[in-house]
Amino acid sequence: MTKTTAVHLMVWLVLLASCSTSAREITLTVGQEYEVPDDKVWVIKSTAPAPCNICTADVYISGEVSNVEIAGVIMHGDFDFSITDEHHQEVILYGGTHVSVGDSRQTLVVEERPKE
């Protein structure tokens, strides 16, 4: 193998490794339940409001192993919550958590990160 080919291969492998460990954005939509992969965490990045007359919640959490951290407080079990745009705190959904977009939101954008 030539020196140039070896360098190109090494650069390609470094790029591949950095892409596989970097975060990616996922858009969740209403009407479907999602599960955070066991080896990942999802951080809520943004929400798009839905037109509704009587809104109940932005996010629904369910399942025995569901763990969510909101502003440093970890909660588990079945519950729902809303997010205000002005006071948005970091919300982390841990692996195994079942999440659905509530009726007051059209979409929920999460950033998927490796579990630390």
Side-chain angles (χ1 to χ4, degrees):
M1 183 182 324
T2 67
K3 193 182 247 187
T4 305
T5 306
V7 169
H8 283 100
L9 180 61
M10 187 176 254
V11 168
W12 183 81
L13 289 173
V14 168
L15 287 173
L16 180 64
S18 67
C19 289
S20 64
T21 59
S22 65
R24 71 178 177 121
E25 285 192 350
I26 302 169
T27 301
L28 312 180
T29 57
V30 174
Q32 185 174 352
E33 183 176 88
Y34 299 86
E35 183 176 355
V36 181
D38 287 334
D39 62 339
K40 305 288 184 196
V41 296
W42 288 355
V43 179
I44 296 177
K45 299 314 272 181
S46 65
T47 58
C52 59
N53 293 328
I54 300 174
C55 302
T56 58
D58 293 345
V59 182
Y60 297 111
I61 303 295
S62 62
E64 290 181 26
V65 298
S66 293
N67 289 299
V68 177
E69 182 177 339
I70 302 173
V73 177
I74 297 177
M75 296 169 273
H76 66 276
D78 296 337
F79 61 97
D80 57 71
F81 61 94
S82 294
I83 301 168
T84 62
D85 294 329
E86 307 95 47
H87 302 101
H88 179 66
Q89 299 289 326
E90 185 170 68
V91 178
I92 302 170
L93 310 171
Y94 289 94
T97 298
H98 291 253
V99 59
S100 301
V101 179
D103 60 351
S104 59
R105 299 293 173 172
Q106 291 179 344
T107 60
L108 187 67
V109 177
V110 297
E111 181 179 87
E112 182 176 77
R113 300 177 185 168
K115 187 177 180 180
E116 296 178 357

